[in-house]
Protein backbone atom coordinates (compact mmCIF):
# COMPACT_ATOMS: atom_id res chain seq x y z
CA UNK A 1 0.00 0.00 0.00
CA UNK A 2 1.31 3.45 -0.89
CA UNK A 3 2.44 5.63 1.98
CA UNK A 4 -0.23 8.29 1.57
CA UNK A 5 -2.99 5.65 1.66
CA UNK A 6 -1.50 4.36 4.91
CA UNK A 7 -1.81 7.91 6.26
CA UNK A 8 -5.47 8.09 5.22
CA UNK A 9 -6.27 4.77 6.92
CA UNK A 10 -4.44 5.78 10.10
CA UNK A 11 -6.25 9.14 10.18
CA UNK A 12 -9.66 7.47 9.77
CA UNK A 13 -8.86 5.05 12.60
CA UNK A 14 -7.65 7.84 14.90
CA UNK A 15 -10.80 9.86 14.17
CA UNK A 16 -13.03 6.82 14.81
CA UNK A 17 -11.50 5.78 18.16
CA UNK A 18 -13.52 8.32 20.25
CA UNK A 19 -16.69 6.42 19.29
CA UNK A 20 -15.65 3.89 21.97
CA UNK A 21 -16.29 6.51 24.66
CA UNK A 22 -19.13 8.43 23.01
CA UNK A 23 -21.44 5.40 22.67
CA UNK A 24 -21.97 5.11 26.46
CA UNK A 25 -22.42 8.89 26.62
CA UNK A 26 -25.10 8.70 23.89
CA UNK A 27 -26.92 6.02 25.91
CA UNK A 28 -26.98 8.19 29.07
CA UNK A 29 -27.66 11.57 27.44
CA UNK A 30 -29.17 12.96 24.26
CA UNK A 31 -27.80 10.88 21.35
CA UNK A 32 -27.88 13.75 18.85
CA UNK A 33 -25.92 16.00 21.23
CA UNK A 34 -23.38 13.21 21.82
CA UNK A 35 -22.98 12.80 18.05
CA UNK A 36 -22.45 16.55 17.69
CA UNK A 37 -19.73 16.49 20.33
CA UNK A 38 -18.12 13.53 18.60
CA UNK A 39 -18.04 15.52 15.34
CA UNK A 40 -16.34 18.38 17.20
CA UNK A 41 -13.70 15.94 18.44
CA UNK A 42 -13.20 14.57 14.92
CA UNK A 43 -12.69 18.09 13.60
CA UNK A 44 -9.95 18.75 16.17
CA UNK A 45 -8.23 15.41 15.50
CA UNK A 46 -8.22 15.70 11.70
CA UNK A 47 -7.24 19.39 11.74
CA UNK A 48 -4.34 18.60 14.08
CA UNK A 49 -3.09 15.89 11.70
CA UNK A 50 -3.38 18.34 8.79
CA UNK A 51 -1.25 20.83 10.72
CA UNK A 52 1.36 18.19 11.51
CA UNK A 53 1.64 17.50 7.77
CA UNK A 54 2.36 21.20 7.15
CA UNK A 55 5.52 21.03 9.30
CA UNK A 56 7.32 19.10 6.51
CA UNK A 57 9.15 17.11 9.17
CA UNK A 58 11.00 14.05 7.77
CA UNK A 59 8.81 11.55 9.62
CA UNK A 60 5.67 12.91 7.96
CA UNK A 61 6.58 11.22 4.67
CA UNK A 62 6.59 7.80 6.36
CA UNK A 63 2.80 7.96 6.84
CA UNK A 64 1.63 10.46 4.26
CA UNK A 65 4.07 9.95 1.39
CA UNK A 66 6.32 12.52 -0.31
CA UNK A 67 5.43 16.17 0.08
CA UNK A 68 3.45 16.44 -3.17
CA UNK A 69 1.08 13.69 -1.96
CA UNK A 70 1.12 14.93 1.63
CA UNK A 71 -0.07 18.39 0.57
CA UNK A 72 -3.03 16.85 -1.24
CA UNK A 73 -4.00 15.12 2.02
CA UNK A 74 -3.34 18.35 3.93
CA UNK A 75 -5.95 20.09 1.78
CA UNK A 76 -8.57 17.33 1.99
CA UNK A 77 -8.09 16.85 5.74
CA UNK A 78 -8.75 20.58 6.13
CA UNK A 79 -11.92 20.32 4.04
CA UNK A 80 -13.06 17.24 5.98
CA UNK A 81 -12.49 18.89 9.36
CA UNK A 82 -14.41 21.96 8.17
CA UNK A 83 -17.34 19.72 7.22
CA UNK A 84 -17.26 18.13 10.68
CA UNK A 85 -17.23 21.58 12.33
CA UNK A 86 -20.23 22.74 10.31
CA UNK A 87 -22.21 19.62 11.26
CA UNK A 88 -21.13 20.05 14.88
CA UNK A 89 -22.44 23.62 14.83
CA UNK A 90 -25.69 22.62 13.08
CA UNK A 91 -26.55 19.76 15.47
CA UNK A 92 -27.22 21.02 19.00
CA UNK A 93 -24.44 19.79 21.29
CA UNK A 94 -25.96 21.03 24.58
CA UNK A 95 -26.78 18.41 27.21
CA UNK A 96 -28.86 18.78 30.36
CA UNK A 97 -27.41 18.25 33.79
CA UNK A 98 -23.77 19.12 32.99
CA UNK A 99 -23.49 22.08 35.35
CA UNK A 100 -23.98 25.82 35.42
CA UNK A 101 -22.69 28.11 32.71
CA UNK A 102 -19.99 30.48 33.88
CA UNK A 103 -18.01 33.30 32.31
CA UNK A 104 -15.35 30.80 31.25
CA UNK A 105 -17.96 28.58 29.64
CA UNK A 106 -19.33 31.63 27.80
CA UNK A 107 -15.81 32.48 26.66
CA UNK A 108 -15.41 28.94 25.38
CA UNK A 109 -18.64 29.22 23.36
CA UNK A 110 -17.49 32.55 21.90
CA UNK A 111 -14.13 31.12 20.91
CA UNK A 112 -15.92 28.18 19.30
CA UNK A 113 -17.92 30.56 17.11
CA UNK A 114 -14.74 32.50 16.28
CA UNK A 115 -12.98 29.28 15.31
CA UNK A 116 -15.91 28.16 13.16
CA UNK A 117 -16.27 31.31 11.09
CA UNK A 118 -12.53 31.99 10.93
CA UNK A 119 -11.70 28.50 9.66
CA UNK A 120 -14.64 28.57 7.25
CA UNK A 121 -13.42 31.82 5.70
CA UNK A 122 -9.84 30.55 5.41
CA UNK A 123 -10.86 27.21 3.91
CA UNK A 124 -12.97 29.00 1.30
CA UNK A 125 -10.01 31.26 0.47
CA UNK A 126 -7.79 28.20 0.14
CA UNK A 127 -10.03 26.32 -2.30
CA UNK A 128 -10.84 29.48 -4.29
CA UNK A 129 -7.76 29.30 -6.52
CA UNK A 130 -8.48 32.76 -7.98
CA UNK A 131 -7.51 34.30 -4.61
CA UNK A 132 -4.21 36.22 -5.02
CA UNK A 133 -1.30 34.13 -3.80
CA UNK A 134 0.00 36.70 -1.30
CA UNK A 135 -3.44 37.07 0.30
CA UNK A 136 -3.86 33.30 0.48
CA UNK A 137 -0.37 32.81 1.94
CA UNK A 138 -0.84 35.47 4.61
CA UNK A 139 -4.32 34.35 5.67
CA UNK A 140 -3.35 30.64 5.61
CA UNK A 141 -0.97 31.35 8.48
CA UNK A 142 -3.99 32.22 10.64
CA UNK A 143 -5.29 28.63 10.46
CA UNK A 144 -3.31 27.71 13.56
CA UNK A 145 -4.68 30.66 15.53
CA UNK A 146 -8.27 29.59 14.84
CA UNK A 147 -7.33 25.99 15.68
CA UNK A 148 -6.06 27.21 19.05
CA UNK A 149 -9.38 29.00 19.56
CA UNK A 150 -11.15 25.72 18.84
CA UNK A 151 -8.89 23.85 21.28
CA UNK A 152 -9.63 26.38 24.06
CA UNK A 153 -13.33 26.03 23.22
CA UNK A 154 -12.97 22.28 23.82
CA UNK A 155 -11.17 22.97 27.11
CA UNK A 156 -13.75 25.41 28.54
CA UNK A 157 -17.18 24.19 27.43
CA UNK A 158 -19.45 21.97 29.49
CA UNK A 159 -18.77 18.33 28.58
CA UNK A 160 -20.20 14.96 29.70
CA UNK A 161 -16.65 13.87 30.57
CA UNK A 162 -13.62 15.26 32.36
CA UNK A 163 -10.35 16.19 30.71
CA UNK A 164 -8.63 13.69 33.00
CA UNK A 165 -10.73 10.81 31.61
CA UNK A 166 -9.46 8.73 28.62
CA UNK A 167 -11.66 10.58 26.11
CA UNK A 168 -10.61 13.97 27.42
CA UNK A 169 -6.92 13.07 27.36
CA UNK A 170 -7.17 11.46 23.91
CA UNK A 171 -8.61 14.55 22.20
CA UNK A 172 -6.37 16.76 24.33
CA UNK A 173 -3.25 15.08 22.94
CA UNK A 174 -4.29 16.05 19.41
CA UNK A 175 -5.00 19.61 20.53
CA UNK A 176 -1.47 19.85 21.94
CA UNK A 177 0.03 18.22 18.82
CA UNK A 178 -1.75 20.68 16.54
CA UNK A 179 -0.66 23.69 18.59
CA UNK A 180 2.96 22.49 18.71
CA UNK A 181 2.90 21.86 14.94
CA UNK A 182 1.62 25.40 14.37
CA UNK A 183 4.33 26.91 16.58
CA UNK A 184 7.03 24.83 14.90
CA UNK A 185 5.88 25.70 11.36
CA UNK A 186 5.64 29.40 12.26
CA UNK A 187 9.09 29.55 13.83
CA UNK A 188 10.62 27.52 10.99
CA UNK A 189 9.14 29.97 8.50
CA UNK A 190 10.51 32.95 10.41
CA UNK A 191 14.01 31.74 11.29
CA UNK A 192 14.88 28.87 8.94
CA UNK A 193 15.82 30.41 5.62
CA UNK A 194 17.38 27.33 4.09
CA UNK A 195 20.72 26.94 2.33
CA UNK A 196 22.30 29.96 0.68
CA UNK A 197 22.98 30.09 -3.05
CA UNK A 198 24.08 32.72 -5.58
CA UNK A 199 22.60 33.08 -9.05
CA UNK A 200 25.28 32.50 -11.70
CA UNK A 201 23.14 32.69 -14.85
CA UNK A 202 19.53 33.54 -15.71
CA UNK A 203 18.77 32.90 -19.38
CA UNK A 204 15.63 32.46 -21.44
CA UNK A 205 14.92 28.97 -22.74
CA UNK A 206 11.74 28.68 -24.75
CA UNK A 207 9.00 30.48 -22.84
CA UNK A 208 10.69 29.98 -19.46
CA UNK A 209 13.66 31.30 -17.51
CA UNK A 210 16.49 28.90 -16.59
CA UNK A 211 18.18 30.04 -13.38
CA UNK A 212 21.42 28.35 -12.38
CA UNK A 213 22.85 28.93 -8.92
CA UNK A 214 25.82 27.73 -6.94
CA UNK A 215 25.99 27.11 -3.17
CA UNK A 216 27.68 29.58 -0.85
CA UNK A 217 28.32 26.85 1.69
CA UNK A 218 27.00 23.32 2.06
CA UNK A 219 24.86 22.36 -0.94
CA UNK A 220 21.73 20.26 -1.22
CA UNK A 221 21.98 16.68 -2.37
CA UNK A 222 18.88 16.41 -4.54
CA UNK A 223 17.88 13.53 -6.73
CA UNK A 224 16.89 14.23 -10.31
CA UNK A 225 13.19 15.07 -10.40
CA UNK A 226 12.87 16.55 -6.90
CA UNK A 227 11.72 20.08 -6.09
CA UNK A 228 12.61 22.72 -3.51
CA UNK A 229 11.20 25.91 -2.03
CA UNK A 230 13.10 28.88 -3.43
CA UNK A 231 13.13 32.47 -2.17
CA UNK A 232 15.12 35.23 -3.85
CA UNK A 233 16.20 38.35 -1.97
CA UNK A 234 14.15 40.36 -4.48
CA UNK A 235 11.22 37.94 -4.01
CA UNK A 236 11.48 36.65 -0.42
CA UNK A 237 8.23 34.66 -0.47
CA UNK A 238 9.26 30.99 -0.94
CA UNK A 239 7.75 29.14 -3.92
CA UNK A 240 8.17 25.52 -4.99
CA UNK A 241 10.05 24.83 -8.22
CA UNK A 242 11.30 21.58 -9.74
CA UNK A 243 15.05 21.20 -10.15
CA UNK A 244 15.83 20.88 -13.89
CA UNK A 245 19.55 20.12 -13.52
CA UNK A 246 21.95 18.98 -10.80
CA UNK A 247 25.68 19.56 -11.37
CA UNK A 248 28.59 17.70 -9.76
CA UNK A 249 29.88 20.90 -8.11
CA UNK A 250 26.58 21.29 -6.19
CA UNK A 251 25.06 23.86 -8.54
CA UNK A 252 21.37 23.48 -9.34
CA UNK A 253 19.12 24.88 -12.03
CA UNK A 254 15.44 25.79 -11.84
CA UNK A 255 13.39 26.41 -14.98
CA UNK A 256 10.57 28.83 -14.20
CA UNK A 257 7.69 29.79 -16.47
CA UNK A 258 5.59 32.92 -16.06
CA UNK A 259 2.34 31.58 -14.58
CA UNK A 260 1.42 34.40 -12.17
CA UNK A 261 2.45 37.76 -10.73
CA UNK A 262 5.39 36.28 -8.79
CA UNK A 263 6.89 34.26 -11.65
CA UNK A 264 6.17 37.00 -14.17
CA UNK A 265 8.22 39.52 -12.17
CA UNK A 266 11.07 37.03 -11.88
CA UNK A 267 11.46 36.85 -15.67
CA UNK A 268 12.92 40.37 -15.80
CA UNK A 269 14.21 40.95 -12.28
CA UNK A 270 16.38 37.91 -11.43
CA UNK A 271 20.01 38.58 -12.37
CA UNK A 272 23.41 36.94 -11.92
CA UNK A 273 24.79 37.69 -8.46
CA UNK A 274 21.40 37.65 -6.71
CA UNK A 275 21.24 35.81 -3.39
CA UNK A 276 18.87 32.87 -3.00
CA UNK A 277 17.68 30.67 -0.14
CA UNK A 278 16.59 27.11 -0.84
CA UNK A 279 14.71 24.68 1.40
CA UNK A 280 14.65 21.07 0.30
CA UNK A 281 14.87 18.88 -1.57
CA UNK A 282 11.41 17.31 -1.45
CA UNK A 283 9.43 14.82 -3.49
CA UNK A 284 9.84 11.29 -4.79
CA UNK A 285 9.28 11.80 -8.50
CA UNK A 286 12.34 9.81 -9.55
CA UNK A 287 13.18 7.36 -12.33
CA UNK A 288 12.39 3.65 -12.30
CA UNK A 289 15.07 2.28 -14.66
CA UNK A 290 15.28 -1.37 -15.63
CA UNK A 291 12.21 -1.57 -17.87
CA UNK A 292 10.90 0.38 -20.90
CA UNK A 293 10.27 3.99 -19.89
CA UNK A 294 7.83 6.53 -21.32
CA UNK A 295 8.17 10.14 -20.19
CA UNK A 296 5.42 12.64 -20.97
CA UNK A 297 5.85 16.37 -20.40
CA UNK A 298 3.50 19.27 -21.10
CA UNK A 299 4.95 22.78 -21.16
CA UNK A 300 7.06 23.56 -18.11
CA UNK A 301 6.44 19.96 -17.00
CA UNK A 302 9.67 19.22 -18.88
CA UNK A 303 11.73 20.31 -15.84
CA UNK A 304 12.08 16.94 -14.06
CA UNK A 305 12.73 15.14 -17.35
CA UNK A 306 15.48 17.59 -18.29
CA UNK A 307 17.13 16.57 -15.04
CA UNK A 308 16.53 12.87 -15.70
CA UNK A 309 17.96 13.13 -19.22
CA UNK A 310 21.35 14.10 -17.76
CA UNK A 311 21.55 10.69 -16.07
CA UNK A 312 21.04 8.66 -19.24
CA UNK A 313 23.74 6.96 -21.30
CA UNK A 314 23.84 4.48 -24.16
CA UNK A 315 23.67 1.54 -21.79
CA UNK A 316 20.17 2.53 -20.67
CA UNK A 317 17.13 0.85 -22.18
CA UNK A 318 15.22 2.98 -24.72
CA UNK A 319 13.39 5.92 -23.20
CA UNK A 320 10.60 7.69 -25.11
CA UNK A 321 10.12 11.35 -24.14
CA UNK A 322 6.95 12.99 -25.47
CA UNK A 323 7.26 16.76 -25.08
CA UNK A 324 4.02 18.66 -25.74
CA UNK A 325 4.48 22.38 -26.47
CA UNK A 326 2.57 25.08 -28.30
CA UNK A 327 5.38 25.43 -30.85
CA UNK A 328 9.12 24.80 -31.13
CA UNK A 329 9.96 28.34 -30.00
CA UNK A 330 8.22 27.75 -26.66
CA UNK A 331 10.10 24.51 -25.89
CA UNK A 332 12.56 24.82 -22.99
CA UNK A 333 15.95 23.07 -23.07
CA UNK A 334 15.28 21.70 -26.53
CA UNK A 335 18.96 21.80 -27.59
CA UNK A 336 19.91 20.01 -24.41
CA UNK A 337 17.33 17.28 -24.94
CA UNK A 338 18.28 16.81 -28.59
CA UNK A 339 21.92 16.46 -27.53
CA UNK A 340 20.93 13.85 -24.94
CA UNK A 341 19.07 12.01 -27.70
CA UNK A 342 22.28 11.76 -29.73
CA UNK A 343 24.45 10.62 -26.82
CA UNK A 344 22.08 8.33 -24.90
CA UNK A 345 19.06 6.04 -25.17
CA UNK A 346 16.65 9.00 -25.15
CA UNK A 347 14.18 9.18 -28.04
CA UNK A 348 12.66 12.66 -28.15
CA UNK A 349 9.19 13.15 -29.66
CA UNK A 350 8.41 16.87 -29.88
CA UNK A 351 4.67 17.47 -30.30
CA UNK A 352 3.56 20.97 -31.37
CA UNK A 353 -0.07 21.44 -30.38
CA UNK A 354 -0.34 24.59 -32.49
CA UNK A 355 0.05 22.58 -35.72
CA UNK A 356 -0.57 18.97 -34.63
CA UNK A 357 -3.39 19.38 -32.16
CA UNK A 358 -3.56 17.88 -28.68
CA UNK A 359 -1.15 15.09 -27.78
CA UNK A 360 -3.41 12.05 -27.44
CA UNK A 361 -2.91 8.76 -25.61
CA UNK A 362 -3.59 6.93 -28.88
CA UNK A 363 -0.67 8.71 -30.59
CA UNK A 364 1.68 7.80 -27.73
CA UNK A 365 0.56 4.16 -27.68
CA UNK A 366 0.98 3.86 -31.45
CA UNK A 367 4.45 5.43 -31.37
CA UNK A 368 5.82 3.10 -28.67
CA UNK A 369 4.36 -0.05 -30.23
CA UNK A 370 1.04 -0.56 -28.49
CA UNK A 371 1.99 -2.91 -25.64
CA UNK A 372 2.41 -1.11 -22.30
CA UNK A 373 2.26 -4.17 -20.04
CA UNK A 374 5.98 -4.03 -19.24
CA UNK A 375 6.45 -0.25 -19.38
CA UNK A 376 6.54 2.51 -16.80
CA UNK A 377 5.02 5.91 -17.58
CA UNK A 378 6.09 9.14 -15.89
CA UNK A 379 4.02 12.28 -16.44
CA UNK A 380 4.29 15.94 -15.50
CA UNK A 381 1.62 18.32 -16.73
CA UNK A 382 -2.05 19.36 -16.33
CA UNK A 383 -4.36 17.25 -14.18
CA UNK A 384 -6.94 16.68 -16.93
CA UNK A 385 -4.28 15.38 -19.30
CA UNK A 386 -2.98 13.13 -16.54
CA UNK A 387 -6.44 11.63 -15.95
CA UNK A 388 -7.00 11.00 -19.67
CA UNK A 389 -3.63 9.29 -19.99
CA UNK A 390 -4.21 7.06 -16.99
CA UNK A 391 -7.55 5.81 -18.33
CA UNK A 392 -6.27 5.12 -21.83
CA UNK A 393 -3.00 3.53 -20.72
CA UNK A 394 -4.82 1.25 -18.31
CA UNK A 395 -6.88 -0.09 -21.22
CA UNK A 396 -3.63 -0.61 -23.16
CA UNK A 397 -2.26 -2.89 -20.43
CA UNK A 398 -0.31 -0.48 -18.23
CA UNK A 399 -0.32 -1.52 -14.58
CA UNK A 400 -1.73 1.26 -12.34
CA UNK A 401 1.35 1.09 -10.11
CA UNK A 402 3.54 1.85 -13.15
CA UNK A 403 2.00 5.27 -13.82
CA UNK A 404 4.00 7.90 -11.96
CA UNK A 405 3.20 11.59 -11.74
CA UNK A 406 4.15 14.63 -9.76
CA UNK A 407 1.02 15.81 -7.93
CA UNK A 408 2.55 18.83 -6.26
CA UNK A 409 0.08 21.70 -6.09
CA UNK A 410 0.60 24.18 -3.30
CA UNK A 411 -2.92 25.41 -3.97
CA UNK A 412 -5.77 23.54 -5.59
CA UNK A 413 -9.55 23.63 -5.57
CA UNK A 414 -11.93 20.80 -4.78
CA UNK A 415 -13.47 20.28 -8.20
CA UNK A 416 -16.05 23.07 -8.38
CA UNK A 417 -15.64 23.26 -12.16
CA UNK A 418 -16.29 19.53 -12.54
CA UNK A 419 -19.32 19.81 -10.25
CA UNK A 420 -20.65 22.74 -12.30
CA UNK A 421 -20.03 20.91 -15.60
CA UNK A 422 -21.82 17.84 -14.24
CA UNK A 423 -24.75 19.98 -13.09
CA UNK A 424 -25.06 21.68 -16.49
CA UNK A 425 -24.92 18.29 -18.21
CA UNK A 426 -27.69 16.91 -16.00
CA UNK A 427 -29.82 20.01 -16.61
CA UNK A 428 -29.40 19.65 -20.37
CA UNK A 429 -30.41 15.96 -20.22
CA UNK A 430 -33.56 16.80 -18.25
CA UNK A 431 -34.41 19.57 -20.68
CA UNK A 432 -34.01 17.22 -23.63
CA UNK A 433 -36.11 14.52 -21.95
CA UNK A 434 -38.77 17.07 -21.10
CA UNK A 435 -38.85 18.26 -24.68
Amino acid sequence: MRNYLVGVVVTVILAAIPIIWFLPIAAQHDAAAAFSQYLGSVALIVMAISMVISTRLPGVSFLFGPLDRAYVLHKWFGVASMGAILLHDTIDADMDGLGTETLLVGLGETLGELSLYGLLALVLLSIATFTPYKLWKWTHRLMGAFFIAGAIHYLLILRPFELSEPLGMYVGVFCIAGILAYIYATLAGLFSRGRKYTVTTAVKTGDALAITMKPKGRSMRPKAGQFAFVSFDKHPEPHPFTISKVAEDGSVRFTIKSLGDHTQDMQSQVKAGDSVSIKGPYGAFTRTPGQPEIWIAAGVGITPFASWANELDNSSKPVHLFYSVRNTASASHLDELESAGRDSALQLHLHETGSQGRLTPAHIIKTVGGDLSKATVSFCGPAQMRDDLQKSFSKAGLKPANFHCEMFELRSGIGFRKMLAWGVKQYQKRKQNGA
Side-chain angles (χ1 to χ4, degrees):
M1 184 181 289
R2 298 176 181 178
N3 283 24
Y4 65 94
L5 293 180
V6 173
V8 171
V9 172
V10 169
T11 301
V12 169
I13 292 173
L14 292 175
I17 285 177
I19 294 176
I20 299 171
W21 298 296
F22 273 107
L23 285 176
I25 292 173
Q28 297 174 12
H29 300 273
D30 179 45
F35 180 62
S36 177
Q37 294 201 13
Y38 166 68
L39 290 172
S41 300
V42 168
L44 288 170
I45 292 168
V46 177
M47 182 67 78
I49 294 172
S50 178
M51 294 177 69
V52 169
I53 291 175
S54 70
T55 63
R56 304 180 202 161
L57 287 169
V60 169
S61 62
F62 178 77
L63 280 180
F64 303 103
L67 195 59
D68 58 332
R69 264 67 174 177
Y71 266 149
V72 173
L73 295 183
H74 170 75
K75 176 193 73 174
W76 284 110
F77 286 170
V79 172
S81 60
M82 192 67 249
I85 292 174
L86 287 172
L87 286 174
H88 167 68
D89 184 67
T90 302
I91 304 171
D92 188 6
D94 291 336
M95 294 181 177
D96 296 330
L98 297 182
T100 305
E101 288 204 13
T102 63
L103 288 176
L104 286 178
V105 173
L107 175 61
E109 296 291 348
T110 301
L111 288 175
E113 293 292 318
L114 176 66
S115 176
L116 166 66
Y117 295 116
L119 288 173
L120 178 60
L122 295 184
V123 168
L124 290 175
L125 280 174
S126 293
I127 61 179
T129 52
F130 54 80
T131 304
Y133 177 83
K134 289 184 178 179
L135 174 62
W136 169 80
K137 184 71 175 178
W138 183 82
T139 56
H140 203 69
R141 292 170 178 162
L142 297 175
M143 283 280 190
F146 290 119
F147 175 83
I148 292 174
I152 297 176
H153 163 75
Y154 166 75
L155 177 69
L156 297 179
I157 59 170
L158 295 173
R159 299 174 308 278
F161 56 89
E162 299 294 333
L163 292 174
S164 57
E165 295 179 16
L167 174 57
M169 291 190 291
Y170 182 81
V171 179
V173 165
F174 286 95
C175 291
I176 295 171
I179 293 171
L180 291 177
Y182 173 60
I183 294 172
Y184 174 85
T186 301
L187 293 178
L190 291 173
F191 300 110
S192 177
R193 296 298 179 184
R195 294 185 173 91
K196 300 298 181 181
Y197 282 70
T198 302
V199 174
T200 55
T201 61
V203 297
K204 290 289 290 184
T205 173
D207 58 1
L209 183 69
I211 306 172
T212 302
M213 52 195 74
K214 64 180 181 180
K216 290 184 178 180
R218 188 164 61 93
S219 65
M220 295 188 298
R221 291 287 180 259
K223 296 178 181 178
Q226 290 189 297
F227 64 89
F229 285 84
V230 183
S231 57
F232 297 83
D233 282 1
K234 295 177 181 178
H235 301 275
E237 193 67 51
H239 282 249
F241 299 110
T242 300
I243 301 167
S244 62
K245 189 175 183 179
V246 181
E248 292 183 1
D249 65 355
S251 296
V252 292
R253 183 183 69 192
F254 296 90
T255 304
I256 301 170
K257 185 177 180 180
S258 177
L259 297 173
D261 293 341
H262 179 82
T263 50
Q264 183 176 356
D265 291 342
M266 291 173 62
Q267 304 296 312
S268 59
Q269 295 180 10
V270 174
K271 306 293 182 184
D274 288 353
S275 295
V276 187
S277 296
I278 303 178
K279 292 182 181 180
Y282 300 103
F285 189 61
T286 53
R287 284 186 63 210
T288 53
Q291 50 191 325
E293 295 180 68
I294 301 171
W295 305 348
I296 306 169
V300 77
I302 194 62
T303 49
F305 302 117
S307 182
W308 288 9
N310 290 316
E311 295 184 341
L312 293 175
D313 55 39
N314 284 320
S315 64
S316 302
K317 290 188 176 183
V319 175
H320 291 273
L321 169 57
F322 293 86
Y323 186 10
S324 176
V325 291
R326 185 175 64 257
N327 51 53
T328 301
S330 64
S332 300
H333 305 302
L334 185 56
D335 292 343
E336 187 176 307
L337 294 168
E338 289 176 338
S339 176
R342 291 189 294 269
D343 301 331
S344 71
L346 182 69
Q347 298 181 28
L348 176 63
H349 308 280
L350 187 69
H351 188 92
E352 298 179 80
T353 58
S355 58
Q356 297 175 275
R358 185 172 61 91
L359 176 62
T360 63
H363 174 73
I364 297 172
I365 294 170
K366 181 180 178 181
T367 303
V368 300
D371 183 16
L372 301 184
S373 60
K374 297 180 180 179
T376 61
V377 175
S378 299
F379 171 79
C380 189
Q384 184 59 56
M385 185 177 180
R386 177 192 69 209
D387 295 341
D388 292 342
L389 289 171
Q390 280 184 301
K391 292 177 183 177
S392 298
F393 289 165
S394 178
K395 294 178 181 178
L398 182 73
K399 299 176 182 177
N402 287 346
F403 187 94
H404 308 289
C405 59
E406 188 176 41
M407 297 178 65
F408 189 86
E409 291 179 310
L410 195 60
R411 301 176 63 193
S412 59
I414 58 172
F416 281 137
R417 290 183 180 179
K418 289 184 178 179
M419 294 179 194
L420 180 61
W422 179 85
V424 171
K425 189 176 181 180
Q426 297 304 311
Y427 170 76
Q428 290 174 340
K429 283 184 179 180
R430 289 184 180 181
K431 191 174 181 180
Q432 289 175 355
N433 293 334

